[in-house]
Amino acid sequence: MTASDIDHIINHLSLKKSRRRWRWIAVALGIVALIAIFARGGGHTPTDHIARLRVNGMITGDDVTMGLLKGIAEDENAKALIVRIDSPGGTTSGSEAIYDALRDISAKKPVVAVMDSVAASGGYITALGTDRIFARQNTITGSIGVIFAYPEFSRLLETVGVKMEEIKSAELKAEPTPYKPTSEKARAAAMVLVQDGFEWFKGLVAERRNMTADRVAVLADGRIYSGRMAVKEGLIDALGGEDEAIAWLVAEKNITKELKVEEWQPPKPWFEETFGASISDIVLQSVGLPGLPEVSARARLDGMLAVWHP
């Protein structure tokens, strides 16, 4: 056997070893993917349970949340719903959509809200859609009001020598605009819109909390309340968390004590399900910007808002 034959055999064995290693890597990745697929959220066991839905972050009435609410409403195995709220609010229309969906569910099964750190403005509207509201002593809630915010950078444009020209069908078309100071007429028109939404919000509070319009007017000056204050003012029902919510369901709504609480959530990408965070979350965490998605979500909100800005 020559030296070249020996080299050929060594190279052949090395190639087989390399191929074998890559096969094992491929198999391992396949197993991880299968585990992730079967571990994904979004589904639920076909047994009786108490559903839990989390309303976190900016409220927009997105398709995913509305789809989950629809599924809970139609699932006969979901005997009750606990809504866990940790949100400063969002769009007025998105909050309205979730409120309406919760009222529809309440016609079929009991619904209870548990406020976590923040359930203000649109988060409070969400809670109003339930049959009973619990909050922690130091939960931030309230902020009953509506805001229509927009930037105005006409002076910046003047500084850099830029002027926006407009040809429009009427004076109030696309007003207010960030390209020039707001006229009194445009400001008055926007205020009518805000007041209309505000009256709707106050009407919800009066109806759901059994208050007079005068009483709501006193509470609805935009301020926030702690959980303790909210109980005293009648904006929520009781202090407590999920345990207290379940106890109320058992005592007042004849829900079986032995029922387990089952989380309803959308399916997650396999990477996030496997590693506990999305790739973007990991990258932002590594560069010290973990809160950037939340800030970005607020910046993208458009229209009339029911949101509390800390």
Side-chain angles (χ1 to χ4, degrees), residues 252-267:
E252 301 296 331
K253 297 297 180 179
N254 298 318
I255 297 299
T256 305
K257 185 177 182 180
E258 287 72 26
L259 285 186
K260 292 184 178 180
V261 177
E262 185 172 328
E263 189 95 10
W264 279 63
Q265 57 185 344

Side-chain angles (χ1 to χ4, degrees), residues 101-124:
L102 291 174
R103 295 312 304 143
D104 289 342
I105 294 174
S106 178
K108 304 175 182 178
K109 60 194 74 178
V111 184
V112 58
V114 175
M115 296 176 167
D116 290 318
S117 296
V118 180
S121 207
Y124 183 58

